[in-house]
């Protein structure tokens, strides 16, 4: 594993003809068990916060939807909300809150809970088949963006340099036959040159000769 400022390279070799390179801003854990526990707790907290945000707005809106309805149905809805909440503290809190405070705050909570706090991009090399690039979405409910390039269309894998602002940045690119533009690997993170060189050497070795 090669570590850079806020970036980490993970290399996985499932077979002599397959290699996966993943660049991530998520800090690796020394213990797999600790990583799984922290992952579970973090996602549990996200789910609970989203659940409470939605229910808080449901409590706030119940009177609006039931203005012209019967007291019996109002009673049943209150019973359902109380059962879902399991406690009356959030209902009393939302009833004292104004819409212009509760709704934006709830939307902010949901947004932060559904947004990833890391960026992860990968390159999968399959000898004889091709390569696949992948970039995780900014949000948990969206699938990653992937691009597959068959071996027959790959002309070369190179490291280029370009200006980004006033700085010179290196990037790994795949030259595709018949394409007007190259396919940039790790386009969001643009790792430093040492990481790109390791990926370039390992990717070419697997693609053209296999890993022994």
């Amino acid at each position: 594993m090669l570590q850079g400022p806020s970036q980490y390279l993970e290399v996985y070799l499932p077979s002599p003809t397959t290699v996966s390179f993943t660049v991530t801003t998520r800090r690796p854990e020394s213990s797999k068990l600790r990583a799984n526990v922290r992952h579970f707790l973090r996602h549990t907290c996200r789910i609970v916060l989203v659940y409470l945000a939605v229910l808080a707005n449901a409590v706030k809106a119940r009177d609006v939807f039931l203005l012209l309805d019967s007291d019996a149905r109002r009673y049943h809805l209150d019973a359902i909300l109380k059962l879902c909440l399991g406690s009356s503290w959030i209902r009393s809190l939302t009833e004292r809150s104004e819409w212009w405070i509760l709704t934006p705050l709830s939307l902010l909570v949901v947004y932060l809970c559904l947004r990833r706090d890391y960026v992860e991009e990968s390159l999968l090399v399959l000898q004889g088949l091709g390569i696949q690039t992948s970039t995780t979405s900014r949000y948990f409910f969206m699938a990653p963006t992937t691009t597959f390039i068959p071996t027959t269309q790959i002309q070369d894998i190179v490291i280029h340099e370009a200006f980004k602002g006033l700085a010179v940045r290196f990037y790994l690119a795949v030259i595709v036959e018949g394409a007007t533009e190259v396919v940039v690997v790790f386009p969001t993170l643009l790792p430093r040159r040492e990481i790109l060189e390791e990926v370039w050497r390992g990717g070419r070795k697997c693609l053209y000769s296999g890993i022994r």
Side-chain angles (χ1 to χ4, degrees):
M1 180 180 295
L2 185 62
Q3 178 175 337
S6 301
Q7 294 182 356
Y8 307 89
L9 175 63
E10 300 173 354
V11 182
Y12 178 56
L13 304 171
S15 72
T17 58
T18 305
V19 59
S20 174
F21 304 94
T22 300
V23 180
T24 178
T25 57
R26 179 170 52 180
R27 183 179 297 275
E29 296 283 353
S30 57
S31 170
K32 187 175 182 179
L33 176 60
R34 183 185 303 175
N36 291 335
V37 171
R38 182 173 297 182
H39 179 78
F40 173 77
L41 293 177
R42 183 182 295 116
H43 283 282
T44 300
C45 291
R46 292 175 186 270
I47 293 173
V48 171
L49 288 175
V50 172
Y51 176 75
L52 292 178
V54 172
L55 283 180
N57 283 271
V59 171
K60 191 67 176 177
R62 80 186 192 285
D63 290 332
V64 175
F65 292 114
L66 295 177
L67 281 177
L68 302 178
D69 215 329
S70 64
D71 292 338
R73 293 188 180 182
R74 183 191 300 271
Y75 171 80
H76 291 312
L77 181 59
D78 284 344
I80 293 174
L81 290 174
K82 186 176 181 180
L83 179 62
C84 293
L85 292 170
S87 176
S88 60
W89 68 269
I90 191 170
R91 185 163 69 175
S92 62
L93 178 63
T94 55
E95 287 177 345
R96 293 194 301 266
S97 302
E98 298 294 336
W99 274 111
W100 63 273
I101 296 178
L102 180 62
T103 300
L105 184 60
S106 299
L107 291 175
L108 178 61
V109 169
V110 172
Y111 169 77
L112 293 177
C113 288
L114 296 181
R115 192 176 188 274
R116 297 182 189 272
D117 53 2
Y118 63 91
V119 179
E120 195 168 270
E121 296 183 298
S122 63
L123 172 68
L124 177 64
V125 183
L126 304 168
Q127 186 184 29
L129 294 177
I131 63 176
Q132 177 176 288
T133 63
S134 177
T135 301
T136 57
S137 171
R138 291 286 186 178
Y139 304 96
F140 286 103
F141 59 88
M142 296 182 65
T145 302
T146 59
T147 301
F148 181 78
I149 308 173
T151 303
T152 54
Q153 297 182 11
I154 300 176
Q155 291 186 333
D156 203 357
I157 303 176
V158 297
I159 296 178
H160 279 314
E161 62 179 17
F163 284 98
K164 187 176 182 180
L166 299 178
V168 177
R169 300 296 300 269
F170 295 92
Y171 63 93
L172 187 67
V174 181
I175 302 177
V176 182
E177 182 180 359
T180 57
E181 297 181 354
V182 299
V183 176
V184 179
V185 184
F186 316 129
T188 302
L189 293 175
L190 294 177
R192 67 181 188 273
R193 185 171 181 175
E194 291 79 7
I195 293 181
L196 296 179
E197 289 179 349
E198 181 173 346
V199 176
W200 175 76
R201 287 192 297 266
R204 286 178 58 88
K205 183 178 180 181
C206 178
L207 188 63
Y208 296 117
S209 60
I211 298 177
R212 298 291 186 265

